[in-house]
Amino acid sequence: MDRLDNTIRPYAWGSTTAIPRLLGTEPTGEPQAEMWMGAHPGAPSRTDRGTLDEVIDADPERELGPDAVAKFGPRLPFLLKLLAAGAPLSLQVHPDLTQAKEGYADEERRNVPVTAPHRNYKDANHKPELVCALTEFDGLCGFRDPLSAAGLLDGLGVDSLKPYVDLLHAHPEEAALREVLTAILTADPEEMARTVTETAAACDRLGGAYAPYADIAHHYPGDPGVIAAMLLNHVRLQPGEALFLGAGVPHAYLDGLGVEIMANSDNVLRCGLTPKHVDVPELLRIVRFEAREPGILRPEAGPDGEEVYQTPIDEFRLSRYVLPESGATHDLTLATPQILLGTAGSLRAGEHELTPGRSVFVPAGEQAHVSGTGTLFRATVVV
């Protein structure tokens, strides 16, 4: 197996302390938002044999196994991350596989540079994702029931929100949510900025259920995404709980440290809470306008102490081991590629230390014997 040396991405919304605290290193004062573990070309993990994408490219069947290559092609189909949000991320959705292929092909035909700020599709893949909380973790996930959203907006007493309240009462669910989100994102910018300012003041004054939106408005003053965020469910995960985000589900992470895994894609359609490009027509084509509960996931017990986060996705499978102080060695060998990440305690994977934040890549079929006491996450695929 290969010890991974991983890149930490300094996105502005990142916490300055959460990842250093986990790693046991001194904060730099700069945001440390995500630590990437995998073979994504944007920041592949480094090994003693070269970067992980180079290692896999040199012999895909040996590293990934013939079954994984047959199903997903000669690449690692997932990206594992530590994600540390110190401020809200952009409100966003991801396309399904068909939409991603169509969108990518269209932008390629139109010769839109892949680095262009208005480009939506960086690749032809979908981007389902799962986030598992390591600390208390706040996020937004999926639309509220329209009447619930109407009540939340109406309770602010902001006159300029009344048209949105009326729309949420006046139409069937899908039409109501579509019309209100469209109206928010296409409103006059100056009028919307005033509405957001009044909304933020009301959220500050009322607190309680409005407190998360007051904080969002503090970070993104005047952004229409503040109002759009109030259409979504607010959820607070406890450590060990997770959220699965499928195609078309609007979401944003607000605060906390978690383990995130996703299909290997960069395709994001933004709704707000960002200075980046918002393509409203394409966004409205991708969003699934259906009210839904956030659907908090808890791990299901499997064999040999493995706790599995069940999702409908084959590109990744995330599980957790909480290993007691028994001195036993656990055999985690699989016929599929895996990344093992320590998040608590003192563990060893073969000859490698898996103290918090350390990780290894295990090629398909290679022995993976883990010992020690602590918590370990395993990322692999379903073949």
Side-chain angles (χ1 to χ4, degrees):
M1 64 181 74
D2 298 280
R3 179 185 175 276
L4 298 181
D5 180 17
N6 303 305
T7 297
I8 296 177
R9 311 305 294 261
Y11 305 136
W13 49 261
S15 167
T16 58
T17 59
I19 288 179
R21 187 182 300 121
L22 184 75
L23 294 174
T25 59
E26 285 296 317
T28 64
E30 299 298 317
Q32 297 188 36
E34 296 181 347
M35 186 172 80
W36 286 23
M37 293 160 278
H40 191 288
S45 299
R46 297 169 293 278
T47 79
D48 289 341
R49 297 189 286 156
T51 60
L52 190 54
D53 57 339
E54 293 170 343
V55 170
I56 291 171
D57 286 347
D59 195 344
E61 290 218 351
R62 178 182 180 277
E63 304 297 331
L64 305 178
D67 291 341
V69 171
K71 188 166 186 176
F72 305 111
R75 60 185 181 85
L76 189 68
F78 63 81
L79 175 64
L80 185 67
K81 299 180 180 180
L82 281 173
L83 183 146
L89 282 68
S90 61
L91 194 60
Q92 60 189 259
V93 297
H94 306 301
D96 63 27
L97 191 56
T98 299
Q99 291 164 338
K101 288 178 178 178
E102 292 173 350
Y104 180 77
D106 174 64
E107 290 185 324
E108 288 289 282
R109 278 194 302 271
R110 293 190 286 115
N111 294 316
V112 180
V114 78
T115 56
H118 62 284
R119 173 125 184 182
N120 295 315
Y121 298 95
K122 304 295 194 297
D123 52 71
N125 200 17
H126 61 166
K127 193 188 177 189
E129 59 191 49
L130 176 77
V131 63
C132 176
L134 295 179
T135 65
E136 201 169 69
F137 192 96
D138 280 273
L140 304 173
C141 178
F143 285 110
R144 297 174 180 267
D145 174 87
L147 294 183
S148 170
L152 193 70
L153 293 174
D154 198 33
L156 289 165
V158 175
D159 287 342
S160 53
L161 294 176
K162 297 294 185 185
Y164 306 139
V165 173
D166 292 342
L167 283 172
L168 288 166
H169 279 287
H171 295 285
E173 176 182 291
E174 181 178 343
L177 294 169
R178 179 181 290 276
E179 288 197 34
V180 171
L181 185 62
T182 303
I184 291 168
L185 296 181
T186 58
D188 177 80
E190 291 187 4
E191 291 180 7
M192 176 53 69
R194 287 193 291 270
T195 295
V196 172
T197 300
E198 289 183 54
T199 297
C203 288
D204 267 327
R205 183 179 69 254
L206 293 168
Y210 294 101
Y213 306 100
D215 185 63
I216 291 170
H218 170 74
H219 285 97
Y220 296 97
D223 193 304
V226 174
I227 310 301
M230 299 185 75
L231 303 177
L232 307 186
N233 298 294
H234 173 250
V235 60
R236 175 165 292 167
L237 301 177
Q238 297 304 313
E241 295 180 334
L243 283 176
F244 173 70
L245 290 312
V249 177
H251 61 279
Y253 303 141
L254 305 180
D255 183 71
L257 175 67
V259 174
E260 185 183 33
I261 189 167
M262 60 188 62
N264 215 348
S265 171
D266 284 331
N267 289 326
V268 175
L269 280 298
R270 294 177 178 84
C271 312
L273 310 183
T274 179
K276 295 182 179 179
H277 178 62
V278 177
D279 185 334
V280 176
E282 185 65 11
L283 170 72
L284 296 175
R285 188 177 78 87
I286 298 302
V287 172
R288 294 183 179 175
F289 290 97
E290 53 188 29
R292 48 163 285 167
E293 292 296 318
I296 294 175
L297 292 177
R298 295 173 180 86
E300 299 181 12
D304 302 321
E306 186 180 29
E307 301 175 329
V308 182
Y309 293 91
Q310 299 288 356
T311 72
I313 297 301
D314 290 346
E315 283 94 336
F316 61 74
R317 177 184 182 274
L318 185 71
S319 61
R320 181 182 71 167
Y321 289 83
V322 181
L323 302 181
E325 195 170 351
S326 65
T329 297
H330 302 262
D331 186 358
L332 273 59
T333 304
L334 289 176
T336 50
Q338 51 183 324
I339 291 176
L340 306 179
L341 166 68
T343 59
S346 180
L347 299 166
R348 289 189 69 87
E351 63 182 17
H352 302 287
E353 295 284 347
L354 275 187
T355 50
R358 272 61 182 190
S359 57
V360 294
F361 172 72
V362 187
E366 291 287 323
Q367 288 190 345
H369 293 146
V370 175
S371 60
T373 303
T375 301
L376 168 79
F377 282 82
R378 168 200 261 175
T380 186
V381 299
V382 180
V383 294

PDB file of all heavy atoms in Angstrom, residues 54-86:
ATOM      1  N   GLU A  54      -0.602   9.085 -11.850  1.00  0.00           N
ATOM      2  CA  GLU A  54       0.473   8.472 -12.643  1.00  0.00           C
ATOM      3  C   GLU A  54       0.612   6.989 -12.315  1.00  0.00           C
ATOM      4  O   GLU A  54       0.813   6.163 -13.220  1.00  0.00           O
ATOM      5  CB  GLU A  54       1.795   9.189 -12.365  1.00  0.00           C
ATOM      6  CG  GLU A  54       1.862  10.622 -12.858  1.00  0.00           C
ATOM      7  CD  GLU A  54       3.087  11.356 -12.362  1.00  0.00           C
ATOM      8  OE1 GLU A  54       3.728  10.894 -11.391  1.00  0.00           O
ATOM      9  OE2 GLU A  54       3.408  12.412 -12.947  1.00  0.00           O
ATOM     10  N   VAL A  55       0.511   6.652 -11.038  1.00  0.00           N
ATOM     11  CA  VAL A  55       0.617   5.250 -10.621  1.00  0.00           C
ATOM     12  C   VAL A  55      -0.491   4.423 -11.272  1.00  0.00           C
ATOM     13  O   VAL A  55      -0.246   3.327 -11.809  1.00  0.00           O
ATOM     14  CB  VAL A  55       0.531   5.152  -9.083  1.00  0.00           C
ATOM     15  CG1 VAL A  55       0.379   3.708  -8.637  1.00  0.00           C
ATOM     16  CG2 VAL A  55       1.778   5.780  -8.445  1.00  0.00           C
ATOM     17  N   ILE A  56      -1.706   4.940 -11.255  1.00  0.00           N
ATOM     18  CA  ILE A  56      -2.844   4.205 -11.833  1.00  0.00           C
ATOM     19  C   ILE A  56      -2.729   4.136 -13.350  1.00  0.00           C
ATOM     20  O   ILE A  56      -2.972   3.079 -13.956  1.00  0.00           O
ATOM     21  CB  ILE A  56      -4.175   4.853 -11.398  1.00  0.00           C
ATOM     22  CG1 ILE A  56      -4.379   4.628  -9.894  1.00  0.00           C
ATOM     23  CG2 ILE A  56      -5.348   4.291 -12.194  1.00  0.00           C
ATOM     24  CD1 ILE A  56      -5.533   5.403  -9.300  1.00  0.00           C
ATOM     25  N   ASP A  57      -2.330   5.236 -13.982  1.00  0.00           N
ATOM     26  CA  ASP A  57      -2.194   5.250 -15.445  1.00  0.00           C
ATOM     27  C   ASP A  57      -1.165   4.218 -15.917  1.00  0.00           C
ATOM     28  O   ASP A  57      -1.302   3.648 -17.008  1.00  0.00           O
ATOM     29  CB  ASP A  57      -1.770   6.639 -15.928  1.00  0.00           C
ATOM     30  CG  ASP A  57      -2.901   7.660 -15.871  1.00  0.00           C
ATOM     31  OD1 ASP A  57      -4.067   7.236 -15.694  1.00  0.00           O
ATOM     32  OD2 ASP A  57      -2.619   8.867 -15.962  1.00  0.00           O
ATOM     33  N   ALA A  58      -0.139   3.962 -15.105  1.00  0.00           N
ATOM     34  CA  ALA A  58       0.923   3.046 -15.516  1.00  0.00           C
ATOM     35  C   ALA A  58       0.442   1.599 -15.578  1.00  0.00           C
ATOM     36  O   ALA A  58       0.946   0.807 -16.385  1.00  0.00           O
ATOM     37  CB  ALA A  58       2.110   3.160 -14.550  1.00  0.00           C
ATOM     38  N   ASP A  59      -0.553   1.231 -14.761  1.00  0.00           N
ATOM     39  CA  ASP A  59      -1.064  -0.145 -14.765  1.00  0.00           C
ATOM     40  C   ASP A  59      -2.445  -0.172 -14.104  1.00  0.00           C
ATOM     41  O   ASP A  59      -2.596  -0.601 -12.962  1.00  0.00           O
ATOM     42  CB  ASP A  59      -0.100  -1.074 -14.018  1.00  0.00           C
ATOM     43  CG  ASP A  59      -0.391  -2.556 -14.292  1.00  0.00           C
ATOM     44  OD1 ASP A  59      -1.490  -2.860 -14.801  1.00  0.00           O
ATOM     45  OD2 ASP A  59       0.487  -3.400 -13.992  1.00  0.00           O
ATOM     46  N   PRO A  60      -3.483   0.282 -14.823  1.00  0.00           N
ATOM     47  CA  PRO A  60      -4.816   0.391 -14.213  1.00  0.00           C
ATOM     48  C   PRO A  60      -5.343  -0.921 -13.653  1.00  0.00           C
ATOM     49  O   PRO A  60      -5.935  -0.933 -12.564  1.00  0.00           O
ATOM     50  CB  PRO A  60      -5.685   0.908 -15.368  1.00  0.00           C
ATOM     51  CG  PRO A  60      -4.738   1.561 -16.306  1.00  0.00           C
ATOM     52  CD  PRO A  60      -3.471   0.791 -16.197  1.00  0.00           C
ATOM     53  N   GLU A  61      -5.148  -2.026 -14.369  1.00  0.00           N
ATOM     54  CA  GLU A  61      -5.722  -3.293 -13.898  1.00  0.00           C
ATOM     55  C   GLU A  61      -5.044  -3.760 -12.613  1.00  0.00           C
ATOM     56  O   GLU A  61      -5.703  -4.328 -11.737  1.00  0.00           O
ATOM     57  CB  GLU A  61      -5.628  -4.358 -14.986  1.00  0.00           C
ATOM     58  CG  GLU A  61      -6.550  -4.097 -16.165  1.00  0.00           C
ATOM     59  CD  GLU A  61      -7.173  -5.371 -16.709  1.00  0.00           C
ATOM     60  OE1 GLU A  61      -6.761  -6.462 -16.292  1.00  0.00           O
ATOM     61  OE2 GLU A  61      -8.080  -5.259 -17.561  1.00  0.00           O
ATOM     62  N   ARG A  62      -3.767  -3.534 -12.489  1.00  0.00           N
ATOM     63  CA  ARG A  62      -3.083  -3.930 -11.255  1.00  0.00           C
ATOM     64  C   ARG A  62      -3.542  -3.076 -10.081  1.00  0.00           C
ATOM     65  O   ARG A  62      -3.769  -3.595  -8.981  1.00  0.00           O
ATOM     66  CB  ARG A  62      -1.566  -3.806 -11.422  1.00  0.00           C
ATOM     67  CG  ARG A  62      -0.800  -4.159 -10.142  1.00  0.00           C
ATOM     68  CD  ARG A  62       0.706  -3.978 -10.315  1.00  0.00           C
ATOM     69  NE  ARG A  62       1.431  -4.320  -9.090  1.00  0.00           N
ATOM     70  CZ  ARG A  62       1.603  -3.486  -8.065  1.00  0.00           C
ATOM     71  NH1 ARG A  62       1.109  -2.261  -8.129  1.00  0.00           N
ATOM     72  NH2 ARG A  62       2.272  -3.882  -6.990  1.00  0.00           N
ATOM     73  N   GLU A  63      -3.659  -1.772 -10.283  1.00  0.00           N
ATOM     74  CA  GLU A  63      -3.975  -0.873  -9.180  1.00  0.00           C
ATOM     75  C   GLU A  63      -5.465  -0.893  -8.820  1.00  0.00           C
ATOM     76  O   GLU A  63      -5.819  -0.829  -7.635  1.00  0.00           O
ATOM     77  CB  GLU A  63      -3.559   0.565  -9.532  1.00  0.00           C
ATOM     78  CG  GLU A  63      -2.102   0.732  -9.906  1.00  0.00           C
ATOM     79  CD  GLU A  63      -1.149   0.387  -8.770  1.00  0.00           C
ATOM     80  OE1 GLU A  63      -1.539   0.540  -7.594  1.00  0.00           O
ATOM     81  OE2 GLU A  63      -0.004  -0.044  -9.060  1.00  0.00           O
ATOM     82  N   LEU A  64      -6.331  -0.976  -9.831  1.00  0.00           N
ATOM     83  CA  LEU A  64      -7.774  -0.866  -9.604  1.00  0.00           C
ATOM     84  C   LEU A  64      -8.482  -2.213  -9.622  1.00  0.00           C
ATOM     85  O   LEU A  64      -9.603  -2.335  -9.099  1.00  0.00           O
ATOM     86  CB  LEU A  64      -8.407   0.033 -10.679  1.00  0.00           C
ATOM     87  CG  LEU A  64      -7.799   1.432 -10.832  1.00  0.00           C
ATOM     88  CD1 LEU A  64      -8.489   2.178 -11.969  1.00  0.00           C
ATOM     89  CD2 LEU A  64      -7.902   2.219  -9.527  1.00  0.00           C
ATOM     90  N   GLY A  65      -7.873  -3.205 -10.236  1.00  0.00           N
ATOM     91  CA  GLY A  65      -8.504  -4.506 -10.399  1.00  0.00           C
ATOM     92  C   GLY A  65      -9.296  -4.558 -11.693  1.00  0.00           C
ATOM     93  O   GLY A  65      -9.862  -3.560 -12.146  1.00  0.00           O
ATOM     94  N   PRO A  66      -9.363  -5.731 -12.336  1.00  0.00           N
ATOM     95  CA  PRO A  66     -10.042  -5.834 -13.638  1.00  0.00           C
ATOM     96  C   PRO A  66     -11.529  -5.520 -13.562  1.00  0.00           C
ATOM     97  O   PRO A  66     -12.096  -4.957 -14.518  1.00  0.00           O
ATOM     98  CB  PRO A  66      -9.792  -7.294 -14.048  1.00  0.00           C
ATOM     99  CG  PRO A  66      -9.398  -8.007 -12.792  1.00  0.00           C
ATOM    100  CD  PRO A  66      -8.733  -7.000 -11.934  1.00  0.00           C
ATOM    101  N   ASP A  67     -12.184  -5.856 -12.462  1.00  0.00           N
ATOM    102  CA  ASP A  67     -13.628  -5.591 -12.364  1.00  0.00           C
ATOM    103  C   ASP A  67     -13.912  -4.095 -12.324  1.00  0.00           C
ATOM    104  O   ASP A  67     -14.847  -3.609 -12.972  1.00  0.00           O
ATOM    105  CB  ASP A  67     -14.205  -6.266 -11.118  1.00  0.00           C
ATOM    106  CG  ASP A  67     -14.212  -7.780 -11.227  1.00  0.00           C
ATOM    107  OD1 ASP A  67     -14.124  -8.294 -12.361  1.00  0.00           O
ATOM    108  OD2 ASP A  67     -14.296  -8.445 -10.180  1.00  0.00           O
ATOM    109  N   ALA A  68     -13.133  -3.348 -11.547  1.00  0.00           N
ATOM    110  CA  ALA A  68     -13.330  -1.900 -11.465  1.00  0.00           C
ATOM    111  C   ALA A  68     -13.023  -1.223 -12.801  1.00  0.00           C
ATOM    112  O   ALA A  68     -13.734  -0.313 -13.238  1.00  0.00           O
ATOM    113  CB  ALA A  68     -12.468  -1.310 -10.360  1.00  0.00           C
ATOM    114  N   VAL A  69     -11.964  -1.687 -13.486  1.00  0.00           N
ATOM    115  CA  VAL A  69     -11.624  -1.104 -14.790  1.00  0.00           C
ATOM    116  C   VAL A  69     -12.729  -1.391 -15.798  1.00  0.00           C
ATOM    117  O   VAL A  69     -13.116  -0.514 -16.589  1.00  0.00           O
ATOM    118  CB  VAL A  69     -10.268  -1.637 -15.282  1.00  0.00           C
ATOM    119  CG1 VAL A  69     -10.008  -1.210 -16.724  1.00  0.00           C
ATOM    120  CG2 VAL A  69      -9.148  -1.134 -14.377  1.00  0.00           C
ATOM    121  N   ALA A  70     -13.275  -2.605 -15.772  1.00  0.00           N
ATOM    122  CA  ALA A  70     -14.345  -2.960 -16.705  1.00  0.00           C
ATOM    123  C   ALA A  70     -15.583  -2.104 -16.472  1.00  0.00           C
ATOM    124  O   ALA A  70     -16.292  -1.750 -17.426  1.00  0.00           O
ATOM    125  CB  ALA A  70     -14.697  -4.442 -16.559  1.00  0.00           C
ATOM    126  N   LYS A  71     -15.844  -1.763 -15.230  1.00  0.00           N
ATOM    127  CA  LYS A  71     -17.070  -1.018 -14.904  1.00  0.00           C
ATOM    128  C   LYS A  71     -16.907   0.495 -15.033  1.00  0.00           C
ATOM    129  O   LYS A  71     -17.806   1.192 -15.512  1.00  0.00           O
ATOM    130  CB  LYS A  71     -17.530  -1.370 -13.491  1.00  0.00           C
ATOM    131  CG  LYS A  71     -18.902  -0.792 -13.120  1.00  0.00           C
ATOM    132  CD  LYS A  71     -19.443  -1.453 -11.862  1.00  0.00           C
ATOM    133  CE  LYS A  71     -20.854  -1.000 -11.568  1.00  0.00           C
ATOM    134  NZ  LYS A  71     -21.444  -1.707 -10.399  1.00  0.00           N
ATOM    135  N   PHE A  72     -15.756   1.024 -14.613  1.00  0.00           N
ATOM    136  CA  PHE A  72     -15.588   2.478 -14.532  1.00  0.00           C
ATOM    137  C   PHE A  72     -14.515   3.031 -15.453  1.00  0.00           C
ATOM    138  O   PHE A  72     -14.342   4.243 -15.529  1.00  0.00           O
ATOM    139  CB  PHE A  72     -15.245   2.888 -13.088  1.00  0.00           C
ATOM    140  CG  PHE A  72     -16.230   2.419 -12.060  1.00  0.00           C
ATOM    141  CD1 PHE A  72     -15.875   1.435 -11.146  1.00  0.00           C
ATOM    142  CD2 PHE A  72     -17.512   2.938 -12.008  1.00  0.00           C
ATOM    143  CE1 PHE A  72     -16.769   0.993 -10.193  1.00  0.00           C
ATOM    144  CE2 PHE A  72     -18.419   2.507 -11.059  1.00  0.00           C
ATOM    145  CZ  PHE A  72     -18.055   1.527 -10.145  1.00  0.00           C
ATOM    146  N   GLY A  73     -13.781   2.152 -16.133  1.00  0.00           N
ATOM    147  CA  GLY A  73     -12.677   2.622 -16.942  1.00  0.00           C
ATOM    148  C   GLY A  73     -11.388   2.680 -16.141  1.00  0.00           C
ATOM    149  O   GLY A  73     -11.360   2.382 -14.944  1.00  0.00           O
ATOM    150  N   PRO A  74     -10.280   3.084 -16.776  1.00  0.00           N
ATOM    151  CA  PRO A  74      -8.953   3.004 -16.152  1.00  0.00           C
ATOM    152  C   PRO A  74      -8.640   4.197 -15.250  1.00  0.00           C
ATOM    153  O   PRO A  74      -7.591   4.836 -15.366  1.00  0.00           O
ATOM    154  CB  PRO A  74      -8.021   2.960 -17.360  1.00  0.00           C
ATOM    155  CG  PRO A  74      -8.736   3.783 -18.388  1.00  0.00           C
ATOM    156  CD  PRO A  74     -10.196   3.498 -18.190  1.00  0.00           C
ATOM    157  N   ARG A  75      -9.549   4.528 -14.343  1.00  0.00           N
ATOM    158  CA  ARG A  75      -9.332   5.663 -13.441  1.00  0.00           C
ATOM    159  C   ARG A  75     -10.004   5.374 -12.109  1.00  0.00           C
ATOM    160  O   ARG A  75     -10.948   4.586 -12.041  1.00  0.00           O
ATOM    161  CB  ARG A  75      -9.937   6.954 -14.041  1.00  0.00           C
ATOM    162  CG  ARG A  75     -11.426   6.832 -14.280  1.00  0.00           C
ATOM    163  CD  ARG A  75     -12.014   8.038 -14.977  1.00  0.00           C
ATOM    164  NE  ARG A  75     -13.454   7.877 -15.152  1.00  0.00           N
ATOM    165  CZ  ARG A  75     -14.361   8.178 -14.240  1.00  0.00           C
ATOM    166  NH1 ARG A  75     -13.991   8.655 -13.078  1.00  0.00           N
ATOM    167  NH2 ARG A  75     -15.640   8.008 -14.484  1.00  0.00           N
ATOM    168  N   LEU A  76      -9.517   5.992 -11.066  1.00  0.00           N
ATOM    169  CA  LEU A  76     -10.171   5.886  -9.766  1.00  0.00           C
ATOM    170  C   LEU A  76     -11.455   6.712  -9.821  1.00  0.00           C
ATOM    171  O   LEU A  76     -11.394   7.925 -10.062  1.00  0.00           O
ATOM    172  CB  LEU A  76      -9.244   6.421  -8.666  1.00  0.00           C
ATOM    173  CG  LEU A  76      -9.695   6.194  -7.222  1.00  0.00           C
ATOM    174  CD1 LEU A  76      -9.663   4.707  -6.867  1.00  0.00           C
ATOM    175  CD2 LEU A  76      -8.812   6.985  -6.254  1.00  0.00           C
ATOM    176  N   PRO A  77     -12.634   6.097  -9.623  1.00  0.00           N
ATOM    177  CA  PRO A  77     -13.880   6.816  -9.904  1.00  0.00           C
ATOM    178  C   PRO A  77     -14.393   7.692  -8.769  1.00  0.00           C
ATOM    179  O   PRO A  77     -15.468   8.266  -8.883  1.00  0.00           O
ATOM    180  CB  PRO A  77     -14.867   5.686 -10.196  1.00  0.00           C
ATOM    181  CG  PRO A  77     -14.364   4.531  -9.435  1.00  0.00           C
ATOM    182  CD  PRO A  77     -12.871   4.659  -9.404  1.00  0.00           C
ATOM    183  N   PHE A  78     -13.625   7.817  -7.675  1.00  0.00           N
ATOM    184  CA  PHE A  78     -14.092   8.657  -6.573  1.00  0.00           C
ATOM    185  C   PHE A  78     -12.964   9.566  -6.096  1.00  0.00           C
ATOM    186  O   PHE A  78     -11.782   9.343  -6.361  1.00  0.00           O
ATOM    187  CB  PHE A  78     -14.608   7.817  -5.404  1.00  0.00           C
ATOM    188  CG  PHE A  78     -13.570   6.940  -4.738  1.00  0.00           C
ATOM    189  CD1 PHE A  78     -12.684   7.462  -3.799  1.00  0.00           C
ATOM    190  CD2 PHE A  78     -13.460   5.589  -5.052  1.00  0.00           C
ATOM    191  CE1 PHE A  78     -11.725   6.668  -3.191  1.00  0.00           C
ATOM    192  CE2 PHE A  78     -12.502   4.780  -4.444  1.00  0.00           C
ATOM    193  CZ  PHE A  78     -11.626   5.326  -3.520  1.00  0.00           C
ATOM    194  N   LEU A  79     -13.371  10.611  -5.378  1.00  0.00           N
ATOM    195  CA  LEU A  79     -12.444  11.513  -4.711  1.00  0.00           C
ATOM    196  C   LEU A  79     -12.870  11.601  -3.257  1.00  0.00           C
ATOM    197  O   LEU A  79     -14.040  11.871  -2.959  1.00  0.00           O
ATOM    198  CB  LEU A  79     -12.481  12.897  -5.362  1.00  0.00           C
ATOM    199  CG  LEU A  79     -11.637  13.990  -4.703  1.00  0.00           C
ATOM    200  CD1 LEU A  79     -10.155  13.656  -4.764  1.00  0.00           C
ATOM    201  CD2 LEU A  79     -11.908  15.342  -5.379  1.00  0.00           C
ATOM    202  N   LEU A  80     -11.950  11.346  -2.339  1.00  0.00           N
ATOM    203  CA  LEU A  80     -12.196  11.428  -0.902  1.00  0.00           C
ATOM    204  C   LEU A  80     -11.609  12.734  -0.388  1.00  0.00           C
ATOM    205  O   LEU A  80     -10.533  13.154  -0.826  1.00  0.00           O
ATOM    206  CB  LEU A  80     -11.555  10.230  -0.207  1.00  0.00           C
ATOM    207  CG  LEU A  80     -11.803  10.072   1.298  1.00  0.00           C
ATOM    208  CD1 LEU A  80     -13.266   9.754   1.590  1.00  0.00           C
ATOM    209  CD2 LEU A  80     -10.892   8.979   1.872  1.00  0.00           C
ATOM    210  N   LYS A  81     -12.304  13.377   0.552  1.00  0.00           N
ATOM    211  CA  LYS A  81     -11.838  14.656   1.074  1.00  0.00           C
ATOM    212  C   LYS A  81     -12.067  14.741   2.581  1.00  0.00           C
ATOM    213  O   LYS A  81     -13.010  14.145   3.107  1.00  0.00           O
ATOM    214  CB  LYS A  81     -12.606  15.833   0.440  1.00  0.00           C
ATOM    215  CG  LYS A  81     -12.510  15.992  -1.045  1.00  0.00           C
ATOM    216  CD  LYS A  81     -13.338  17.198  -1.484  1.00  0.00           C
ATOM    217  CE  LYS A  81     -13.298  17.427  -2.984  1.00  0.00           C
ATOM    218  NZ  LYS A  81     -14.111  18.599  -3.381  1.00  0.00           N
ATOM    219  N   LEU A  82     -11.242  15.537   3.234  1.00  0.00           N
ATOM    220  CA  LEU A  82     -11.617  16.172   4.485  1.00  0.00           C
ATOM    221  C   LEU A  82     -12.129  17.553   4.117  1.00  0.00           C
ATOM    222  O   LEU A  82     -11.449  18.294   3.383  1.00  0.00           O
ATOM    223  CB  LEU A  82     -10.418  16.303   5.420  1.00  0.00           C
ATOM    224  CG  LEU A  82      -9.988  15.058   6.186  1.00  0.00           C
ATOM    225  CD1 LEU A  82      -8.683  15.341   6.919  1.00  0.00           C
ATOM    226  CD2 LEU A  82     -11.063  14.622   7.177  1.00  0.00           C
ATOM    227  N   LEU A  83     -13.313  17.909   4.595  1.00  0.00           N
ATOM    228  CA  LEU A  83     -13.917  19.202   4.271  1.00  0.00           C
ATOM    229  C   LEU A  83     -14.135  19.966   5.569  1.00  0.00           C
ATOM    230  O   LEU A  83     -14.751  19.449   6.503  1.00  0.00           O
ATOM    231  CB  LEU A  83     -15.238  19.002   3.530  1.00  0.00           C
ATOM    232  CG  LEU A  83     -15.954  20.271   3.062  1.00  0.00           C
ATOM    233  CD1 LEU A  83     -16.679  20.010   1.734  1.00  0.00           C
ATOM    234  CD2 LEU A  83     -16.947  20.774   4.103  1.00  0.00           C
ATOM    235  N   ALA A  84     -13.606  21.196   5.631  1.00  0.00           N
ATOM    236  CA  ALA A  84     -13.686  22.012   6.842  1.00  0.00           C
ATOM    237  C   ALA A  84     -14.282  23.367   6.490  1.00  0.00           C
ATOM    238  O   ALA A  84     -13.583  24.252   5.983  1.00  0.00           O
ATOM    239  CB  ALA A  84     -12.305  22.173   7.459  1.00  0.00           C
ATOM    240  N   ALA A  85     -15.574  23.515   6.738  1.00  0.00           N
ATOM    241  CA  ALA A  85     -16.272  24.752   6.405  1.00  0.00           C
ATOM    242  C   ALA A  85     -16.248  25.704   7.592  1.00  0.00           C
ATOM    243  O   ALA A  85     -16.729  25.377   8.677  1.00  0.00           O
ATOM    244  CB  ALA A  85     -17.714  24.449   6.008  1.00  0.00           C
ATOM    245  N   GLY A  86     -15.672  26.877   7.382  1.00  0.00           N
ATOM    246  CA  GLY A  86     -15.727  27.932   8.385  1.00  0.00           C
ATOM    247  C   GLY A  86     -16.713  29.011   8.013  1.00  0.00           C
ATOM    248  O   GLY A  86     -17.013  29.900   8.811  1.00  0.00           O
TER     249      GLY A  86
END
